[in-house]
Amino acid sequence: MCKSALTGHPSFGSEHVRALKPYLAGRQISAVAREFELDEAQIIKLASNENPLGMPIIARRAIEALAESGSAEYPDPDAYELKMSLKESFQVPHSWLTVGNGSSELLDIIVKAFVQNGQSVVVSQYAFSAYLLSILGVNARPIIVPALDFGHNLDAMLDAIEPDTKLIFIANPNNPTGTFHAPDQIRRFIERTPEDIVVVLDEAYAEYLADGQQSDIADLIGRYRNLIVVRTFSKIYALAGLRIGFAIAQEHLSELINKVRLPFNTSAYAQAAATAALADRDFVVQSRVENRMGLEQLYRGFDQMGLPYLRSFGNFVLVNVGDASEVFAKLLKYGVIVRPVANYELPNWLRVSVGLKDQNRRFLKILASIVMQDSIVKHEFKGASSCRN
Ligand SMILES: Cc1ncc(COP(=O)(O)O)c(C=O)c1O
């Protein structure tokens, strides 16, 4: 029996599971309110790349209608209605679609379906951290390829493939860096990938891209037998709380993903809201426009403070604030929740989700006061030490 060296008690769980570092989610408004004795209404959460416009009205109506029916039935395990809408939207057959409990569930079960203990998966440095959790969760081996200008180094990722590589993750746009590769670069990458390796193209933020930057999913999937595109309703569609996303891949891959999917993985409410939200093109366009304006507002604010930042293709931006854990803690006290990214080995950066205009303004004002105070303190300290010298 294996015993812990510290306690002498037996150790539970597989060794690779015990070694996992749990996913660090953004702080919840209610938790911050409790900790700092703040009024929840005054807290701004710019920490989880949610859509600040809130759920589209049409989705809310769909949920209300379902609640009214008082049904106690299990949801449709095949999410038929939603798949019919997705089929129409993307011009793909029903058999190419899998619906998941958020796209993170799909990313996780894709690893389960295609990768075994000890095999390798290629990912980029700074890529969405949930990939590592899924890879390590099946005791597979991540091959982490150094980033290029904070984005994926696609050539180096191809060079990093090993004989036991089964899967490659590409986040496009990437979270947390906001970097992006144009559709033709992605195409060239897939073309050069060996056909027996599955490429997962995670497009959680794709709807925030301009029309010319979006991939033609039907054409891409039709061409490549080893490609899976994963999308979510959590971001632009503003349904993060309901947990729903989808994957598109040719039938031979979709079949395998569906084999490891639990039967009732998405709720009836999530399916109904997603079906409704998908039809609301105006909401998507409005969200995209507001996001662009919000990004520009944040860039202007950071420019005024002289803070370096990365221009982003998503609904969030990485900004270099120096000691990010200290600035994060100070922002929390003022009721502003952002996301430190030290877990990505970016200890000087904060990821800030784009909020509504007033939220961005308040955040920038508070950040400016913190940054100014810090520079005054540092200046005084420098002065003091130079006096001593
Ligand atoms: C790149 C990327 N992929 C996937 C997800 C998972 O989103 P969800 O599980 O809410 O669909 C996120 C969430 O932040 C993300 O940033």
Side-chain angles (χ1 to χ4, degrees):
M1 190 196 304
C2 172
K3 290 204 173 182
S4 154
L6 285 177
T7 64
H9 293 307
S11 305
F12 294 104
S14 318
E15 210 173 301
H16 68 278
V17 173
R18 284 203 302 268
L20 287 178
K21 289 192 190 128
Y23 180 78
L24 290 175
R27 295 288 307 271
Q28 290 294 314
I29 289 180
S30 52
V32 171
R34 279 195 301 275
E35 185 176 336
F36 296 97
E37 294 180 358
L38 297 170
D39 178 358
E40 281 194 23
Q42 284 171 350
I43 296 177
I44 308 174
K45 184 179 175 213
L46 305 176
S48 300
N49 304 343
E50 294 138 340
N51 185 336
L53 294 179
M55 195 182 287
I57 298 282
I58 191 171
R60 227 180 294 171
R61 296 276 133 75
I63 293 172
E64 283 161 5
L66 197 61
E68 280 295 307
S69 79
S71 163
E73 289 171 13
Y74 277 100
D76 176 358
D78 187 43
Y80 179 80
E81 293 293 335
L82 174 57
K83 283 191 184 173
M84 289 309 280
S85 299
L86 290 168
K87 180 178 158 188
E88 173 88 18
S89 275
F90 291 97
Q91 296 292 300
V92 295
H94 179 277
S95 60
W96 288 13
L97 293 162
T98 309
V99 175
N101 196 265
S103 58
S104 28
E105 185 204 24
L106 292 165
L107 298 167
D108 194 58
I109 63 175
I110 286 168
V111 172
K112 210 165 152 190
F114 297 101
V115 188
Q116 285 176 36
N117 188 2
Q119 294 175 331
S120 67
V121 179
V122 173
V123 288
S124 174
Q125 180 189 23
Y126 307 141
F128 181 44
S129 65
Y131 305 152
L132 283 185
L133 200 54
S134 298
I135 296 165
L136 297 171
V138 298
N139 204 17
R141 184 169 57 90
I143 299 176
I144 303 173
V145 179
L148 180 65
D149 296 332
F150 292 92
H152 294 36
N153 184 342
L154 296 176
D155 289 336
M157 288 178 79
L158 286 173
D159 290 342
I161 290 172
E162 293 187 13
D164 68 354
T165 300
K166 295 293 159 191
L167 198 107
I168 303 178
F169 277 116
I170 304 281
N172 200 44
N174 182 46
N175 168 22
T177 55
T179 49
F180 169 70
H181 292 278
D184 58 323
Q185 293 174 298
I186 296 292
R187 229 172 244 264
R188 254 179 280 131
F189 177 84
I190 306 166
E191 247 147 42
R192 291 162 60 205
T193 303
E195 281 176 35
D196 59 343
I197 298 178
V198 173
V199 177
V200 179
L201 186 57
D202 177 357
E203 295 194 330
Y205 302 94
E207 298 85 359
Y208 284 106
L209 298 168
D211 286 339
Q213 296 169 326
Q214 309 231 357
S215 49
D216 178 344
I217 291 193
D219 181 63
L220 263 188
I221 301 287
R223 262 172 216 264
Y224 304 112
R225 284 177 49 79
N226 57 336
L227 175 65
I228 305 173
V229 175
V230 179
R231 293 247 182 141
T232 183
F233 283 97
S234 298
K235 306 301 175 185
I236 216 164
Y237 292 105
L239 303 181
L242 290 172
R243 313 303 305 128
I244 189 150
F246 56 100
I248 311 183
Q250 287 189 26
E251 198 167 333
H252 59 281
L253 299 185
S254 297
E255 250 176 37
L256 289 170
I257 306 170
N258 271 293
K259 279 191 183 178
V260 287
R261 179 182 67 81
L262 293 174
F264 303 108
N265 60 332
T266 58
S267 73
Y269 291 94
Q271 291 179 21
T275 309
L278 197 60
D280 196 344
R281 287 302 309 159
D282 290 348
F283 180 81
V284 170
V285 171
Q286 187 198 350
S287 301
R288 194 187 296 166
V289 170
E290 299 270 348
N291 183 60
R292 178 99 329 259
M293 290 192 305
L295 275 177
E296 294 298 335
Q297 185 187 0
L298 292 174
Y299 296 162
R300 276 195 305 277
F302 299 148
D303 280 336
Q304 280 163 9
M305 288 176 243
L307 297 177
Y309 58 90
L310 303 183
R311 291 189 84 81
S312 170
F313 287 85
N315 63 343
F316 53 88
V317 54
L318 264 195
V319 57
N320 189 324
V321 293
D323 184 345
S325 68
E326 194 182 316
V327 176
F328 167 71
K330 287 184 178 167
L331 283 166
L332 270 189
K333 284 190 193 158
Y334 286 102
V336 179
I337 316 173
V338 295
R339 190 74 156 267
V341 283
N343 57 323
Y344 286 89
E345 291 171 1
L346 293 166
N348 296 332
W349 300 77
L350 289 176
R351 194 195 66 194
V352 183
S353 305
V354 176
L356 298 172
K357 194 172 174 186
D358 281 350
Q359 296 175 323
N360 298 334
R361 190 184 296 136
R362 210 177 115 204
F363 156 70
L364 287 169
K365 205 170 152 194
I366 295 169
L367 180 66
S369 74
I370 293 171
V371 169
M372 262 162 49
Q373 260 173 26
D374 279 359
S375 65
I376 290 167
V377 171
K378 278 178 194 144
H379 187 72
E380 282 173 353
F381 181 72
K382 250 194 197 160
S385 66
S386 64
C387 281
R388 274 202 298 272
N389 291 337

